[in-house]
């Protein structure tokens, strides 16, 4: 607390010296022949100002840099110039004019630093993300569904009436993708009586049938605590000059020990804009804090860059490509980041290496257009971002368009999509979206092609939906390119079993070779496949995806060449 007292004392004393008309009080004291009044007035003014400044900064948690005083500086210098006389008034008038110039600089900075913001947010550009490895399971359990399950398991918490479920976030713990949600106090008096929260919930982010687990870990410094036990105030007391952006988030290490982190950085210019520099990490049990740069953050931290900061950077990148005024009027080359994300308008996803990224798609500022202009992935530990233009020869549907298709598909059941994320399935840019009923319970997973919305499929699990989507792609005439690490292979053999299924205008042929492996092919791509029968000798070019039914790219039936 020492720092805030000293800061308030310095501000109070400086303000008092500007406010009090020194020359006028000296003349009054000489005329009256009394003890000098200046010292008394000065002390009285300081006594009034210091508690007011201290209360403001304590309650607001504002950074205690002197640039944060610019509004107070204008008010104090204006009052000081008004009360003063003679040369003192001239001096304080100059101070007032100077404070107005500083205030105008701070107020109008957003008009002039748009180019700097864009440069800070500029992304590397690529065409398309790598194809998804279908042997993996995407972290696609929607947060609303996860939250509902945790609430239903709240009976595991001791003294349940004291608490409520805190903010949900996804991360990797011991190689598994899980949702983490702290137990928080449900009000001031509950905090007063409880003093500490009992732990947090964890739930699989890939298995919708999994049940939440309550982990007992006492936490004293939390977002729902009050006074100096409030986590954000505790961090501010330890780092009074840091510039923070985004809420404090709970992160759990591989041993299950919880920590709160908060992202800090610096203004782009004049207390406007934000760029990320690092995190402050807090042990919620004893309050121990430590600051790290992004490069030095502990390995178990997945979300070192807050989703709020990523969303802000996306806004800079999309809006300020040609400056501030263009973002308001001409809007040339402007692309608006989507607001369909699950955390501050972005959606956390994981790549094949287990690294977390924030996904956002960008759309046109023109109303009524659901065409996607591109999408971005921002590394949640480093803040490095890549913008993907997509195949420029095709027009991609944005996330809002994917949600509209789901709404129309299940209009009678009143089901809606949540958390649409763009993947590259078999070489096709595709939206994967969990579908929930009106009560927030998961019903299925829906996949639709971003370039060809008429191609879609849904299943009970993400992998089930992916398999059905592959069939839909083959039926629709698309080329199935396989996963990111699948290589094309060739094999000759004898057909042992054949199964044919009519799908629209085409036939899906599944067959088993004498090497005990199964393959699948569409008559759309290989018309002669409809004549395939047991005992035929075939030469097959397929993708080694590791799936139960390997996708065939080309097939020659001996005798039917």
């Amino acid at each position: 607390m020492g720092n805030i007292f000293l800061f308030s004392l310095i501000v109070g004393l400086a303000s008092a010296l500007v406010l009090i008309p020194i020359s006028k009080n000296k003349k009054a004291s000489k005329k009256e022949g009394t003890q000098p009044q200046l010292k008394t007035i000065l002390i009285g003014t300081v006594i009034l100002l210091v508690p007011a400044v201290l209360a403001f900064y304590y309650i607001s948690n504002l950074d205690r840099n002197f640039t944060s005083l610019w509004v107070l500086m204008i008010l104090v210098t204006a009052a000081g110039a008004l009360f003063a006389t003679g040369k003192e008034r001239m001096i304080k008038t100059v101070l007032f004019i100077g404070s107005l110039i500083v205030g105008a600089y701070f107020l109008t900075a957003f008009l002039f630093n748009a180019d700097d913001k864009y440069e800070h947010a500029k992304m590397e550009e690529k065409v398309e993300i790598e194809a998804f490895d279908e042997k993996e399971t995407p972290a696609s359990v929607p947060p609303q569904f996860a939250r509902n399950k945790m609430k239903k398991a709240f009976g595991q918490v001791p003294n349940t009436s004291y608490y409520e479920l805190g903010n949900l976030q996804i991360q990797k713990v011991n190689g598994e993708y899980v949702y983490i949600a702290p137990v928080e106090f449900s009000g001031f008096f509950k905090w007063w009586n409880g003093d500490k929260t009992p732990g947090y919930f964890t739930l699989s982010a890939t298995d919708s049938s999994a049940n939440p687990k309550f982990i007992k870990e006492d936490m004293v410094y939390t977002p729902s605590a009050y006074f100096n036990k409030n986590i954000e105030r505790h961090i501010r007391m330890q780092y009074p000059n840091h510039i923070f952006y985004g809420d404090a988030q709970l992160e759990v290490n591989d041993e299950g020990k919880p920590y709160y982190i908060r992202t800090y950085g610096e203004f782009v210019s004049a207390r406007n804009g934000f760029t990320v520099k690092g995190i402050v990490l807090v042990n919620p049990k004893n309050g121990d804090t430590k600051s790290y740069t992004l490069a030095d953050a502990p390995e178990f931290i997945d979300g070192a860059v807050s989703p709020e900061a990523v969303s802000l950077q996306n806004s800079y990148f999309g809006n300020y490509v040609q400056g501030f005024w263009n973002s308001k009027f001409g809007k040339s080359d402007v692309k608006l980041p989507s607001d369909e994300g699950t955390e501050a308008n972005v959606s956390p996803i994981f790549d094949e290496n287990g690294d977390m990224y924030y996904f956002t798609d960008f759309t046109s500022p023109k109303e009524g257009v659901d065409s996607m202009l591109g999408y971005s992935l921002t590394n949640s530990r480093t803040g490095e971002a890549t913008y993907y233009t997509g195949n420029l020869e095709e027009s991609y549907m944005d996330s809002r368009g994917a949600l509209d298709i789901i709404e129309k598909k299940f209009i009678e059941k009143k089901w809606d999509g949540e958390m649409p994320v763009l993947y590259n399935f078999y070489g096709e840019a595709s939206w994967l979206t969990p579908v929930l009923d009106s009560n927030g319970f998961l019903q299925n997973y829906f996949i639709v092609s971003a370039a060809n919305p008429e191609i879609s499929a849904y299943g009970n699990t993400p992998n089930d939906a992916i398999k059905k989507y592959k069939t839909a792609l083959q039926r629709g005439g698309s080329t199935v390119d396989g996963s990111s690490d699948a290589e094309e292979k060739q094999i000759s053999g004898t057909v042992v079993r054949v199964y044919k299924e009519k799908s629209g205008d085409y036939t899906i042929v599944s067959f088993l070779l004498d090497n005990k492996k199964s393959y699948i092919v569409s008559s759309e791509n290989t018309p002669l496949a409809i004549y395939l029968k047991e005992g035929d000798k075939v030469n097959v070019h397929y993708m080694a995806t590791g799936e139960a039914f390997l996708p065939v790219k080309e097939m020659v039936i001996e005798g039917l060449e």
Side-chain angles (χ1 to χ4, degrees):
M1 289 287 285
N3 187 284
I4 192 172
F5 279 125
L6 179 60
F7 179 82
S8 302
L9 180 62
I10 293 172
V11 172
L13 182 59
S15 300
L17 290 172
V18 176
L19 276 172
I20 297 170
I22 297 174
S23 58
K24 187 185 294 186
N25 276 281
K26 282 184 176 179
K27 289 178 181 178
S29 297
K30 287 178 180 179
K31 279 184 179 181
E32 295 170 8
T34 60
Q35 293 290 328
Q37 298 177 354
L38 180 60
K39 186 176 181 180
T40 304
I41 295 173
L42 181 63
I43 293 173
T45 305
V46 171
I47 290 174
L48 289 173
L49 286 174
V50 169
V53 173
L54 189 149
F56 172 78
Y57 278 91
Y58 184 79
I59 293 171
S60 68
N61 268 340
L62 189 66
D63 64 279
R64 295 196 284 275
N65 295 292
F66 285 107
T67 56
S68 65
L69 295 164
W70 66 272
V71 175
L72 178 64
M73 183 171 63
I74 292 174
L75 297 175
V76 168
T77 54
L82 181 65
F83 296 147
T85 58
K87 290 184 178 179
E88 183 182 352
R89 170 172 284 184
M90 290 179 61
I91 294 172
K92 292 183 177 178
T93 299
V94 171
L95 291 176
F96 172 61
I97 293 172
S99 66
L100 283 178
I101 294 173
V102 172
Y105 173 60
F106 285 148
L107 284 173
T108 60
F110 69 95
L111 298 174
F112 308 108
N113 65 4
D115 290 337
D116 291 334
K117 290 176 179 175
Y118 177 76
E119 286 302 318
H120 279 95
K122 203 169 183 179
M123 305 179 188
E124 178 187 0
E125 290 197 8
K126 292 184 179 180
V127 176
E128 204 77 83
I129 54 175
E130 292 184 356
F132 180 78
D133 186 347
E134 53 268 43
K135 296 193 295 293
E136 302 292 331
T137 299
S140 53
V141 173
Q144 182 182 343
F145 174 68
R147 191 171 186 83
N148 284 345
K149 295 195 78 170
M150 288 181 180
K151 284 182 177 180
K152 292 186 179 302
F154 216 71
Q156 300 177 42
V157 180
N159 297 320
T160 307
S161 62
Y162 275 52
Y163 309 107
E164 62 186 12
L165 196 64
N167 291 334
L168 198 73
Q169 81 173 76
I170 193 172
Q171 65 181 100
K172 185 177 66 174
V173 180
N174 284 318
E176 296 183 359
Y177 306 131
V178 296
Y179 281 109
I180 301 292
V183 172
E184 299 283 1
F185 292 108
S186 59
F188 175 79
F189 292 106
K190 302 297 174 62
W191 167 77
W192 186 267
N193 293 322
D195 188 50
K196 58 187 177 183
T197 58
Y200 61 90
F201 278 96
T202 179
L203 176 67
S204 172
T206 58
D207 183 3
S208 60
S209 64
N211 291 317
K213 296 179 182 177
F214 176 68
I215 310 299
K216 292 183 179 180
E217 282 285 346
D218 290 343
M219 292 187 280
V220 176
Y221 296 86
T222 65
S224 59
Y226 290 81
F227 305 122
N228 288 356
K229 299 296 178 61
N230 176 270
I231 189 67
E232 293 188 1
R233 182 167 290 113
H234 176 74
I235 294 173
R236 172 57 68 202
M237 290 298 177
Q238 305 302 314
Y239 299 93
N241 298 323
H242 274 36
I243 309 302
F244 295 104
Y245 198 86
D247 297 329
Q249 300 180 94
L250 189 68
E251 292 270 353
V252 176
N253 66 14
D254 287 344
E255 288 72 46
K257 189 174 182 180
Y259 293 87
Y260 273 102
I261 65 167
R262 199 171 185 203
T263 301
Y264 75 85
E266 61 185 20
F267 297 117
V268 173
S269 63
R271 296 188 65 82
N272 184 266
F274 181 80
T275 57
V276 181
K277 294 299 178 183
I279 64 164
V280 169
L281 181 142
V282 183
N283 184 329
K285 189 171 185 178
N286 56 28
D288 289 345
T289 62
K290 190 171 182 180
S291 179
Y292 297 90
T293 63
L294 289 180
D296 297 329
E299 288 187 12
F300 73 87
I301 301 295
D302 289 308
V305 183
S306 68
E308 293 89 347
V310 173
S311 185
L312 187 67
Q313 297 297 311
N314 286 336
S315 176
Y316 294 162
F317 177 75
N319 283 284
Y320 298 147
V321 61
Q322 293 192 34
F324 175 80
W325 295 113
N326 179 69
S327 71
K328 299 298 180 184
F329 299 106
K331 297 188 178 182
S332 175
D333 296 327
V334 167
K335 39 191 177 286
L336 301 180
S338 165
D339 59 0
E340 302 297 342
T342 59
E343 294 184 22
N345 297 333
V346 297
S347 294
I349 62 173
F350 290 86
D351 68 4
E352 66 276 6
N353 299 316
D355 296 326
M356 192 169 91
Y357 289 80
Y358 293 112
F359 168 83
T360 310
D361 64 300
F362 292 76
T363 189
S364 169
K366 187 175 181 180
E367 292 186 11
V369 176
D370 62 1
S371 178
M372 185 177 68
L373 301 180
Y375 54 99
S376 68
L377 290 176
T378 303
N379 189 295
S380 62
R381 278 185 58 90
T382 67
E384 296 177 357
T386 303
Y387 180 75
Y388 297 89
T389 61
N391 188 337
L392 298 178
E393 296 180 358
E394 297 180 332
S395 178
Y396 286 177
M397 171 180 59
D398 65 12
S399 56
R400 182 66 258 171
L403 293 176
D404 288 341
I405 286 177
I406 292 173
E407 184 179 350
K408 293 174 183 176
K409 181 77 174 180
F410 304 105
I411 190 169
E412 294 182 358
K413 297 180 178 180
K414 297 182 179 179
W415 293 354
D416 295 301
E418 182 188 354
M419 195 177 76
V421 175
L422 195 73
Y423 288 91
N424 183 342
F425 291 134
Y426 307 106
E428 186 88 4
S430 313
W431 289 104
L432 170 63
T433 309
V435 179
L436 286 75
D437 63 20
S438 56
N439 295 314
F441 291 104
L442 184 64
Q443 295 300 320
N444 61 49
Y445 290 90
F446 189 89
I447 304 177
V448 59
S449 168
N452 304 290
E454 67 277 6
I455 301 176
S456 64
Y458 59 91
N460 294 326
T461 67
N463 294 99
D464 180 39
I466 291 171
K467 289 178 181 178
K468 292 180 178 177
Y469 184 62
K470 178 169 64 175
T471 301
L473 285 172
Q474 291 176 321
R475 184 173 65 243
S478 296
T479 301
V480 178
D481 289 332
S483 66
S484 58
D485 59 355
E487 61 176 306
E488 183 177 336
K489 291 187 176 182
Q490 182 268 338
I491 191 172
S492 297
T494 302
V495 176
V496 178
R497 291 286 188 274
V498 180
Y499 177 77
K500 299 174 184 177
E501 178 185 10
K502 191 68 175 175
S503 183
D505 295 330
Y506 305 103
T507 300
I508 303 300
V509 180
S510 304
F511 58 94
L512 176 68
L513 290 184
D514 53 4
N515 64 353
K516 305 302 181 185
K517 291 185 178 181
S518 299
Y519 303 83
I520 186 170
V521 62
S522 171
S523 63
E524 169 71 5
N525 299 320
T526 308
L528 294 180
I530 60 172
Y531 301 116
L532 189 69
K533 65 181 187 298
E534 296 172 7
D536 279 345
K537 295 185 182 298
V538 294
N539 185 283
V540 178
H541 290 260
Y542 68 96
M543 302 303 299
T545 62
E547 295 175 283
F549 286 82
L550 300 170
V552 174
K553 293 194 71 175
E554 295 179 25
M555 181 176 69
V556 175
I557 305 173
E558 190 175 310
L560 295 182
E561 299 94 330

